[in-house]
Amino acid sequence: MAVVYLDNNATTRVDPRVVQTMLPFFTESFGNASSTHDYGAAVAPALKDARKQVQALLGAEFDHEVIFTSGGTESDTTAIFSALETAPERNEIVTSAVEHPAVLNVCQNLERTGRAKVHYIGVDGAGALDLDAYRAALSDKTALVSIMWANNETGKIFPVAELATLAKAAGALFHTDAVQAFGKIDMALKDTAIDLLSLSGHKIHGPKGIGALYVRKGVKLSPLFRGGKQERGRRAGTENVPGIVGLGAAAEFARQNLAEDFARMKALRDRLESGLLAAIPLARVNGAGGERLPNTLNISFDYADGEAVLHKLDRAGVAASSGSACASGSMEPSHVLRALNIPPHALQGAIRFSLSRETAGEDIGKVLAVLPEIVANAREKSPLWAEVRPPQVA
Ligand code: PLP
């Protein structure tokens, strides 16, 4: 059975053209970039090209502002630790309550160990950041603000350019986890006051285990990995050349069709959203209103158990997710949906559909065809549903 893959915020299929670009760097051009012989010299231009391709998709001013890392998690950790190290007179971090665990867990650990005080800014019912609380949290003690560009669960886009300007006025560094936004929306980074930005290859049809940290020219970086002089001494360790080349190629393909892919994904997502809202009573979109990623739909079906719905969807040949991939598996409702203050009977029924440029109209048609009955069956298992079911719902 052909599977409809709608879990692209968890990871994407590597574009076969990306694989082709990577292959020679495992076999023919396998050299270590630091070697002085021809094998080393052969890979240096490929690293340079990849850096420029990532720079172009970011809209950054200089290619040397891009440091290759092992992915979003390493980039987030590096940014947070570096900010505390380079501003020893400041020991506070401002972040949001809806960050990915790659940021939240680092912050919580710094708090537990007494190394930093952390302000977690809340969101409203639509997932928008509490700007008053954000302004109030900034002070001359703030070392770093770390607020994601777009949320992985709801797709909500935060006004990072505006937030960065406010952080700058308080003398703080501004970091954004842009793992979900990179490659989906136009970034024009050089026109913002953003100092640090994390991105990852596997969310944009590139390989896993490769990403980058953008560090604006002039911003001091305290490396997380110390050792060799790779990445201008800012990230030690022999470069993952095939991964870097793959990330560069993935960034290039994303950049070439950014506007078209955005429009196509958005049209399909909107069709899925309106189709489900029309076909399934007591359904609600989580994080609706305001700007959202074009590929993400987080939708709750009141009184239907999300895990049961996902399981049935899986058996019908549709792969989606409940909450974030990292949180599923445990039955805890996601911290993001809890921060949105969604009522308990909707929390358990949240499903995330995330599209990619490979998603086809038939994929959406299939979900619209199978999901109403799956939700109806799941609701039958809920004792509460019998009490609350509206009379017009079968
Ligand atoms: N940040 C966000 C918003 C993510 O969605 C993810 C991955 O799910 C990460 C960070 C972690 O990135 P990586 O898997 O490259 O470590």
Side-chain angles (χ1 to χ4, degrees):
M1 176 172 52
V3 172
V4 172
Y5 184 76
L6 293 176
D7 199 12
N8 289 282
N9 285 8
T11 199
T12 54
R13 187 176 87 107
V14 182
D15 187 318
R17 296 169 298 175
V18 169
V19 177
Q20 286 309 316
T21 316
M22 293 170 69
L23 284 177
F25 293 92
F26 289 102
T27 49
E28 295 115 61
S29 305
F30 61 87
N32 183 327
S34 305
S35 304
T36 49
H37 48 62
D38 283 358
Y39 285 94
V43 299
L47 296 186
K48 190 164 176 53
D49 287 350
R51 213 178 296 281
K52 285 198 170 302
Q53 287 166 322
V54 173
Q55 174 204 355
L57 184 53
L58 286 171
E61 194 161 5
F62 304 104
D63 62 349
H64 61 74
E65 293 175 322
V66 174
I67 302 173
F68 293 115
T69 66
S70 65
T73 303
E74 182 190 325
S75 299
D76 286 344
T77 307
T78 307
I80 297 168
F81 276 89
S82 173
L84 289 175
E85 294 259 325
T86 56
E89 70 290 357
R90 293 171 175 245
N91 69 342
E92 295 193 7
I93 296 173
V94 176
T95 188
S96 83
V98 296
E99 297 297 311
H100 188 272
V103 167
L104 275 187
N105 286 343
V106 176
C107 287
Q108 282 159 7
N109 192 259
L110 287 166
E111 241 184 333
R112 268 198 301 274
T113 53
R115 290 185 59 190
K117 178 174 171 193
V118 185
H119 302 262
Y120 301 93
I121 309 301
V123 295
D124 65 14
L129 200 73
D130 181 343
L131 285 180
D132 290 336
Y134 175 71
R135 280 196 199 90
L138 292 172
S139 76
D140 59 5
K141 298 220 177 57
T142 315
L144 177 75
V145 174
S146 181
I147 306 254
M148 65 204 324
W149 199 309
N151 186 269
N152 45 305
E153 294 191 36
T154 60
K156 194 84 184 176
I157 294 175
F158 288 130
V160 283
E162 185 188 336
L163 301 176
T165 305
L166 291 168
K168 183 122 291 184
L173 286 174
F174 188 90
H175 165 250
T176 184
D177 176 336
V179 166
Q180 293 294 343
F182 181 66
K184 292 181 192 137
I185 56 176
D186 193 15
M187 298 194 127
L189 204 53
K190 65 171 174 295
D191 303 332
T192 73
I194 293 169
D195 298 299
L196 300 147
L197 175 148
S198 304
L199 62 93
S200 178
H202 72 103
K203 311 286 185 181
I204 62 159
H205 302 282
K208 295 173 182 53
I210 187 73
L213 177 65
Y214 160 88
V215 182
R216 181 176 293 277
K217 186 180 173 199
V219 170
K220 273 199 234 143
L221 187 83
S222 171
L224 188 66
F225 294 175
R226 291 168 193 272
K229 290 274 170 266
Q230 292 90 354
E231 300 296 285
R232 298 170 158 230
R234 294 178 298 175
R235 200 278 188 178
T238 303
E239 297 88 345
N240 169 4
V241 179
I244 292 171
V245 168
L247 171 59
E252 182 61 23
F253 292 129
R255 195 179 61 84
Q256 281 168 3
N257 295 306
L258 198 66
E260 293 87 338
D261 289 341
F262 183 103
R264 228 180 59 79
M265 285 193 292
K266 183 172 182 310
L268 288 175
R269 190 273 312 270
D270 290 350
R271 189 181 138 209
L272 178 64
E273 180 171 317
S274 54
L276 291 177
L277 289 175
I280 304 178
L282 299 184
R284 63 178 88 207
V285 178
N286 300 316
E291 276 194 273
R292 243 186 321 157
L293 289 177
N295 77 319
T296 308
L297 170 62
N298 193 307
I299 187 163
S300 279
F301 307 107
D302 291 6
Y303 304 101
D305 176 43
E307 292 298 323
V309 171
L310 264 191
H311 182 66
K312 289 273 166 54
L313 265 179
D314 187 33
R315 288 187 42 193
V318 178
S321 129
S322 68
S324 73
C326 316
S328 60
S330 74
M331 298 303 280
E332 278 294 293
S334 101
H335 68 284
V336 175
L337 299 182
R338 272 188 278 132
L340 262 67
N341 248 329
I342 291 168
H345 56 265
L347 257 187
Q348 295 291 352
I351 305 284
R352 179 187 70 185
F353 295 102
S354 46
L355 288 62
S356 81
R357 63 173 183 242
E358 297 184 342
T359 305
E362 303 88 75
D363 297 338
I364 302 305
K366 168 133 188 202
V367 180
L368 291 174
V370 300
L371 194 52
E373 194 182 329
I374 290 176
V375 171
N377 287 337
R379 281 174 167 165
E380 289 307 327
K381 306 225 159 52
S382 160
L384 282 173
W385 177 246
E387 289 168 30
V388 299
R389 156 196 279 170
Q392 71 276 19
V393 180

